[in-house]
Amino acid sequence: MAPHGTAEPQVRPGIARDLDGLTDLYNHYVLRTPITFDTVPLTPKGRMQWFLSHPEDGPHRLMVATEPTPSGPERLLGYATSSPLRPKAAYATSVEVSVYCAPDAAGRGVGTALHTALFDALAGEDLHRAYAGITQPNAPSHRLHTRFGFRPIGTYEQVGRKFGQYWDVRWYQRELGGSGD
């Protein structure tokens, strides 16, 4: 077994036992960054509906990246989701994607592994576009998304207030080429 932090991340669909780790990872971003506009930490119970909205098939997925640990269960390195862009029926062929990586997993290819697995899983779905909203500044997320074919399409200026200041969100899109094209 490779030493902690050096093994290739293993990516798979999220399962119920991941919920505590997913919530802890997300809460890091809630409490310490403007990357999410949630301002109050969530609980696993409070995240259950979100978790259940990402089944193992269909256009709304949850992929997790893990690594083995010497003393027990695997360690969560990050996750990626595809979620409904908007609730109205005409938006059904569009998804919003998100990626969250553990702070100590930066630079290890976790985001790349997650995006690769997510877009591979979505390849057979009837999807036309993927969108990502990235709070500015966030150079690592910009690099990840442009590497996967996303291009900037506009910015919502000062759209969210967190930590006593306003933040811009730049929106990106990528063609997916679903069967409805």
Side-chain angles (χ1 to χ4, degrees):
M1 181 179 303
H4 177 69
T6 61
E8 282 288 315
Q10 301 299 307
V11 180
R12 60 168 171 73
I15 56 176
R17 76 170 184 245
D18 297 323
L19 189 55
D20 287 347
L22 291 165
T23 303
D24 289 345
L25 176 56
Y26 186 73
N27 282 338
H28 164 81
Y29 289 96
V30 170
L31 293 169
R32 293 175 181 83
T33 78
I35 288 173
T36 176
F37 285 173
D38 278 317
T39 58
V40 176
L42 304 175
T43 64
K45 182 178 179 184
R47 288 279 274 181
M48 183 57 75
Q49 185 65 33
W50 167 86
F51 175 79
L52 294 174
S53 71
H54 295 91
E56 284 195 39
D57 58 5
H60 307 134
R61 305 286 183 105
L62 166 63
M63 305 302 289
V64 298
T66 64
E67 70 180 352
T69 63
S71 61
E74 60 199 2
R75 183 174 90 92
L76 183 72
L77 298 174
Y79 69 92
T81 60
S82 59
S83 301
L85 179 66
R86 299 241 175 166
K88 295 179 180 173
Y91 289 107
T93 60
S94 297
V95 291
E96 182 176 350
V97 298
S98 297
V99 177
Y100 290 90
C101 296
D104 62 346
R108 293 188 43 205
V110 174
T112 297
L114 285 164
H115 254 0
T116 298
L118 179 64
F119 291 116
D120 286 352
L122 296 177
E125 299 297 332
D126 181 20
L127 293 172
H128 185 61
R129 296 274 192 275
Y131 296 88
I134 301 173
T135 304
Q136 298 299 299
N138 189 334
S141 191
H142 169 81
R143 285 191 303 271
L144 174 68
H145 285 83
T146 56
R147 194 166 53 246
F148 276 84
F150 283 82
R151 63 182 177 82
I153 57 171
T155 301
Y156 291 171
E157 295 178 349
Q158 298 185 1
V159 68
R161 185 172 66 187
K162 189 171 179 181
F163 304 135
Q165 76 178 74
Y166 287 96
W167 300 93
D168 295 349
V169 174
R170 182 174 298 146
W171 284 91
Y172 295 73
Q173 83 174 17
R174 172 193 163 161
E175 293 182 25
L176 294 177
S179 60
D181 288 345

